[in-house]
Amino acid sequence: MRTKIGNTLLLIASYVVLAYENALSCILLAYVTIVTFVGGKHTVRRLLPLYATLTLAIIPLTIYKYYGFACSILTDVGLSCKTHSLVIPIGISFFTLQAIGYIIDVYRGKIKSENNLLDYTLFLSFFPQIVAGPISRYSQLMPQIKNNRTFSAQRATEGLRMLLWGVFLKIVIADRLSLYVNDIVNYIDVADSSSLLSMAFFYSFQIYSDFAGYSLMAIGTAKVVGFDLPDNFRRPYLSVSITEFWRRWHISLSLWLRDYIYISLGGNRCSRWRNYVNIMTTFTVSGIWHGANYTFLIWGLLHGMFQCIEKALGLNKEYTGNKLLKAIRIATTFIIVTMLWIVFRMPTLSDAWTVFVHIATTTDFHLVMPEKYVIILLAIAIIKDLVDEYYPQYDMLHHRSLMVRWTSYVLIAMSIILFGVFDSGQFIYAKF
């Protein structure tokens, strides 16, 4: 397909998809696109144009996502602030971060500013990733936008495999678990510790399946139309530390934070204590990026704190030692991450504290579990992650045997049809 024709069709498709979800997002996306396209031509090694462009680019994100939170903070300290109920436009965090990354790379001289408005507009609006990422770099995506593309059956087949498994994770696992998790969250004041612990456990897999599922759907869809998007998840619950968890979880955001926040602050090329400050600052930004609420702020700070502790103890490095100790570290990391998800999930810090208190003090056990078939399907998803990590040659979707592959395709498709939840609303990360 000739580049200009293909890019025009993809651009139209991208704006149609976004307009179908939220027309306001199209207007804000167009604004950020024009601001950063024009600003990029003047920011090479020049601080004033850089700051001006960044300020103009983040105004919509600041107003729609953080104005209400800022007002609540002012109210909490005794100052008056007139609040307005604003609906966060879909995808605004993702395309804003992608645009900021482009501008900073231009300023640093890593890339040249883009001269083709059509190509740059497609770079920010490419429909598979617009809702919830992955966050692509200019150097990764733009060469693919500019080059001619031909249909590849092999690439399309791999994309459809990813799309099928992504739909299974989202529609079957995440949305089924959400029904259970929401029921427990709605009654945390009377829930016993066993139900709250199981809720936290299942929420860990709900949010993982939701976001990893969407990422696979996005990456798979992009492959079908000839693009390679960056991997976004790599079996994060098999991490031996919180540091490794963030190398495997939402990889495109982790790398963005590393390159544009952590390194900009000085990274680890400074004193130990300054490095700890840089880590805490980076994860404060991560928490606030996820949502304008004290819960997200504290969640980010706690992740930063655990990374500082791991660095101080030398636990942040890759572990290749004793298998039993590795299993213990994986289990410990999973438990810590799961407990921190409680803070992330609860509407307020008070609710999160209530959950922790009930877990620690309740002795009356009335465990309520999801349906048995949900447990079985979740177990299949967990087993697939274990196989992909340790025995990739036995992956059912890439097995050498044609019979095994097609049996897997059919069973997954049947599970989606029979057990999928098709009215669950937005993806969790779409609102971030």
Side-chain angles (χ1 to χ4, degrees):
M1 181 175 287
R2 289 172 56 194
T3 303
K4 189 173 182 179
I5 297 174
N7 290 351
T8 301
L9 292 174
L10 285 172
L11 179 58
I12 293 172
S14 298
Y15 267 83
V16 167
V17 168
L18 193 59
Y20 177 78
E21 292 291 340
N22 189 319
L24 177 60
S25 293
C26 290
I27 298 173
L28 298 179
L29 173 58
Y31 165 80
V32 171
T33 300
I34 296 298
V35 165
T36 52
F37 178 77
V38 174
K41 297 182 179 300
H42 305 282
T43 58
V44 181
R45 302 296 182 185
R46 299 172 66 190
L47 277 174
L48 185 59
L50 171 69
Y51 292 150
T53 302
L54 292 178
T55 300
L56 290 173
I58 66 173
I59 284 175
L61 180 65
T62 303
I63 293 174
Y64 281 93
K65 192 169 182 178
Y66 300 109
Y67 175 77
F69 184 45
C71 276
S72 68
I73 293 175
L74 292 175
T75 302
D76 290 342
V77 298
L79 301 175
S80 62
C81 181
K82 187 176 182 180
T83 60
H84 300 279
S85 180
L86 299 174
V87 178
I88 301 175
I90 195 167
I92 189 171
S93 294
F94 290 92
F95 64 70
T96 301
L97 259 61
Q98 195 156 307
I100 290 172
Y102 162 76
I103 286 295
I104 295 176
D105 283 346
V106 170
Y107 167 76
R108 290 174 175 174
K110 295 177 66 175
I111 59 174
K112 294 182 178 179
S113 61
E114 178 56 45
N115 293 317
N116 189 312
L117 181 58
L118 171 66
D119 290 349
Y120 183 71
T121 304
L122 179 59
F123 163 69
L124 288 187
S125 64
F126 187 44
F127 74 90
Q129 64 178 31
I130 190 64
V131 174
I135 303 168
S136 294
R137 303 293 179 89
Y138 179 93
S139 58
Q140 296 170 329
L141 188 56
M142 188 57 77
Q144 301 180 67
I145 291 175
K146 290 187 175 296
N147 292 336
N148 287 330
R149 295 178 292 277
T150 56
F151 178 78
S152 166
Q154 182 178 2
R155 180 195 295 270
T157 300
E158 178 60 23
L160 290 172
R161 284 195 190 103
M162 300 174 79
L163 183 60
L164 179 66
W165 186 246
V167 172
F168 174 82
L169 288 177
K170 165 59 182 169
I171 301 297
V172 178
I173 304 298
D175 290 349
R176 278 289 163 194
L177 289 177
S178 72
L179 302 177
Y180 169 79
V181 169
N182 292 341
D183 282 344
I184 301 296
V185 170
N186 290 336
Y187 298 98
I188 57 173
D189 290 332
V190 296
D192 59 84
S193 60
S194 56
S195 294
L196 292 173
L197 281 171
S198 65
M199 177 273 294
F201 172 83
F202 288 117
Y203 181 69
S204 287
F205 287 101
Q206 179 200 344
I207 192 169
Y208 170 51
S209 300
D210 184 282
F211 198 19
Y214 176 83
S215 292
L216 282 173
M217 293 164 67
I219 296 168
T221 303
K223 277 188 179 294
V224 172
V225 295
F227 290 83
D228 290 317
L229 297 182
D231 290 338
N232 218 21
F233 286 84
R234 195 171 62 250
R235 301 169 292 281
Y237 291 150
L238 296 177
S239 305
V240 298
S241 64
I242 300 297
T243 304
E244 185 183 357
F245 172 81
W246 279 100
R247 297 191 191 113
R248 292 169 172 256
W249 177 275
H250 201 346
I251 298 169
S252 61
L253 175 64
S254 297
L255 293 177
W256 193 98
L257 291 168
R258 182 198 68 185
D259 292 344
Y260 301 116
I261 302 296
Y262 180 68
I263 290 178
S264 296
L265 293 171
N268 58 3
R269 296 181 179 180
C270 52
S271 68
R272 174 181 295 185
W273 290 106
R274 176 59 187 273
N275 182 222
Y276 294 156
V277 171
N278 293 343
I279 293 173
M280 293 299 294
T281 302
T282 301
F283 278 89
T284 299
V285 174
S286 175
I288 291 297
W289 178 85
H290 279 86
N293 196 323
Y294 290 115
T295 54
F296 298 112
L297 174 61
I298 298 302
W299 174 80
L301 287 170
L302 289 171
H303 269 278
M305 181 190 73
F306 276 107
Q307 290 213 40
C308 290
I309 293 172
E310 288 176 351
K311 191 157 193 173
L313 298 177
L315 299 175
N316 60 322
K317 300 178 177 61
E318 183 179 353
Y319 183 79
T320 57
N322 181 275
K323 290 184 178 180
L324 177 59
L325 182 57
K326 181 177 181 179
I328 293 173
R329 288 187 58 177
I330 289 173
T332 302
T333 301
F334 176 73
I335 291 171
I336 293 171
V337 170
T338 296
M339 292 298 101
L340 295 183
W341 281 134
I342 293 175
V343 180
F344 187 95
R345 175 60 180 85
M346 292 301 114
T348 66
L349 289 176
S350 176
D351 291 330
W353 180 251
T354 298
V355 172
F356 286 122
V357 169
H358 281 216
I359 288 175
T361 61
T362 305
T363 58
D364 186 20
F365 295 97
H366 297 287
L367 180 60
V368 180
M369 295 287 284
E371 296 90 337
K372 290 181 180 178
Y373 69 85
V374 179
I375 304 297
I376 294 172
L377 294 168
L378 175 59
I380 292 172
I382 294 173
I383 290 170
K384 185 178 185 305
D385 263 12
L386 290 169
V387 170
D388 290 347
E389 179 76 9
Y390 300 113
Y391 306 99
Q393 67 272 25
Y394 298 119
D395 176 20
M396 58 185 179
L397 296 181
H398 297 85
H399 202 277
R400 289 178 296 176
S401 169
L402 182 66
M403 180 66 71
V404 172
R405 291 201 306 273
W406 275 94
T407 300
S408 301
Y409 302 155
V410 172
L411 290 176
I412 293 170
M414 288 179 60
S415 298
I416 293 170
I417 295 170
L418 295 174
F419 305 117
V421 179
F422 297 96
D423 59 351
S424 62
Q426 285 188 347
F427 294 84
I428 291 177
Y429 262 74
K431 62 186 177 182
F432 297 146

